[in-house]
Amino acid sequence: MSVVTVDYKQEGDIFDIQRFSLNDGPGIRTIVFLKGCPLSCWWCSNPESQRRRPVVMYNEAECVHCRRCESACRQHAVTFTDDGVRHFNFDACTGNGDCAAVCPVGALVMKGQHIDVRSLIDILKKDRSTFRHSGGGVTLSGGDPLMQADFARELLKACKAQGWNTAIETEGCAEPCDVLDVIPYVDHILMDIKHMDPEKHRTFTGVSNELILSNARKIAAFSPLTIRVPVIPKFNHSEKEIGDIARFAASLGNTECMHILPYHSLGENKYRMMGCEYKMNRLSVASLSNEELEKYRPIIEQAGVRCRIGDE
Ligand code: SF4
Ligand code: SF4
């Protein structure tokens, strides 16, 4: 049996760890959210994931308007108007955390943590009996874990060395060599396919889908995968658009399931806290329910792919 060496000193950036998840692979799982994403989807519910560096979240309800953050920020990213309204320039912020360090009431929270594989495995070990009893394990999410391919690979290898099941949630918009470097250490691949039209994909996510579709074919040649589709009103919420994705998923020849997820606006408040626009408001659309997606089940199954809707 070949011995896999792990670089436990490999460092990366994460922004959250969520325990006891039932929706991101088999069994009960712990999700590690890695920072950095090449996409900026209008509906993204984790906007704090998109930049690799830490981001600052502002909770206006806690703020006592002492203006210490304005004085502390060397980038002049924080300013107050004469009548005390706080303005934040997200693009000018470097994420150094000087403002959060001086805030007396905890109204500013930094999202992002630099950590090495050894320290992260030590944190994850507290769930090892849950993994063993439920058949679960560790899922890397984001952002897109493939944006930190070296860190993701070593972390996955370290999980395998513990005997844990591994999964990855990816947008698939990464260098093909990074994709092929990581997938040998993944038991379950969950990959987003959002739209088959490259221009519409670019408008709503910031990038074309060509590399993503090409990587999906590469992954399918090595491993079974689940295709995940966020169903978004005025983007892909139609029988034609979901059917096109289903037929692509079937053509991969190795798709275990197409998992469609109803749009929700739960992330909207985070955009406010980051001083960014929630672009879905331009469309004036409401959240969707699982029931509203039922009409897609026969279309997906007719394409020859098993269908899963929401948290079923
Ligand atoms: S984290 Fe951003 S806003 Fe805060 S002090 Fe640093 S640059 Fe300024
Ligand atoms: S330092 Fe904190 S409490 Fe003071 S103005 Fe800034 S965010 Fe508000």
Side-chain angles (χ1 to χ4, degrees):
M1 197 170 69
S2 64
V3 178
V4 176
T5 57
V6 181
D7 178 3
Y8 284 96
K9 291 184 181 157
Q10 181 73 49
E11 296 176 343
D13 298 286
I14 65 171
F15 68 95
D16 205 0
I17 297 173
Q18 284 177 11
R19 304 171 68 198
F20 308 118
S21 166
L22 295 171
N23 286 317
D24 304 272
I28 300 174
R29 311 192 68 81
T30 298
I31 319 296
V32 182
F33 291 86
L34 277 66
K35 281 187 76 53
C37 186
L39 280 65
S40 47
C41 303
W42 286 24
W43 53 88
C44 176
S45 55
N46 289 326
E48 73 275 34
S49 73
Q50 292 175 4
R51 292 194 174 184
R52 174 75 185 269
R53 60 166 174 69
V55 296
V56 59
M57 311 280 282
Y58 169 60
N59 185 350
E60 190 174 7
E62 299 290 326
C63 177
V64 294
H65 298 272
C66 67
R67 298 179 66 158
R68 289 187 199 176
C69 51
E70 182 181 39
S71 312
C73 181
R74 289 166 278 168
Q75 314 305 321
H76 307 293
V78 183
T79 52
F80 282 79
T81 60
D82 290 343
D83 48 358
V85 178
R86 185 182 188 273
H87 286 281
F88 176 58
N89 182 344
F90 181 70
D91 291 324
C93 173
T94 58
N96 58 28
D98 289 349
C99 54
V102 299
C103 179
V105 292
L108 299 170
V109 176
M110 299 306 296
K111 282 294 205 176
Q113 179 187 358
H114 198 64
I115 192 166
D116 63 28
V117 170
R118 169 74 66 202
S119 307
L120 196 40
I121 289 292
D122 286 344
I123 294 170
L124 296 169
K125 273 182 182 170
K126 66 181 164 210
D127 293 327
R128 59 188 156 191
S129 65
T130 307
F131 300 156
R132 196 166 49 246
H133 291 122
S134 71
V138 175
T139 299
L140 305 193
S141 185
D144 190 332
L146 295 177
M147 295 307 290
Q148 300 186 59
D150 290 343
F151 179 57
R153 183 194 60 239
E154 296 307 314
L155 182 54
L156 290 162
K157 282 160 65 178
C159 291
K160 299 303 289 175
Q162 296 290 327
W164 302 337
N165 181 279
T166 58
I168 187 169
E169 294 176 338
T170 177
E171 310 295 335
C173 188
E175 292 296 329
C177 56
D178 287 339
V179 176
L180 298 176
D181 204 26
V182 168
I183 57 171
Y185 308 102
V186 185
D187 296 311
H188 300 276
I189 298 173
L190 305 115
M191 180 171 179
D192 273 24
I193 301 287
K194 303 176 203 298
H195 209 288
M196 293 306 294
D197 179 79
E199 279 317 307
K200 198 164 186 188
H201 196 280
R202 186 192 299 281
T203 301
F204 283 84
T205 72
V207 301
S208 171
N209 62 2
E210 283 145 340
L211 179 60
I212 294 166
L213 301 182
S214 161
N215 279 333
R217 292 187 191 98
K218 287 189 174 65
I219 292 171
F222 280 90
S223 166
L225 72 174
T226 293
I227 298 295
R228 302 220 302 189
V229 184
V231 179
I232 311 296
K234 297 190 181 174
F235 172 62
N236 62 7
H237 186 23
S238 76
E239 294 181 4
K240 159 92 172 66
E241 285 156 311
I242 296 300
D244 285 347
I245 298 173
R247 285 181 283 280
F248 173 77
S251 76
L252 295 174
N254 213 355
T255 300
E256 289 183 320
C257 166
M258 181 161 149
H259 186 185
I260 55 175
L261 300 144
Y263 165 69
H264 62 75
S265 57
L266 294 179
E268 181 177 1
N269 193 42
K270 291 184 180 176
Y271 289 80
R272 210 170 294 124
M273 294 174 80
M274 290 169 57
C276 299
E277 181 195 7
Y278 183 58
K279 289 185 181 171
M280 288 304 288
N281 284 338
R282 296 181 191 176
L283 304 179
S284 305
V285 294
S287 295
L288 297 174
S289 65
N290 289 349
E291 291 68 36
E292 286 171 280
L293 303 195
E294 276 296 337
K295 66 178 182 180
Y296 296 130
R297 191 186 295 278
I299 294 170
I300 293 167
E301 289 176 348
Q302 224 168 45
V305 180
R306 188 166 71 83
C307 174
R308 183 179 169 203
I309 299 176
D311 50 11
E312 71 179 13

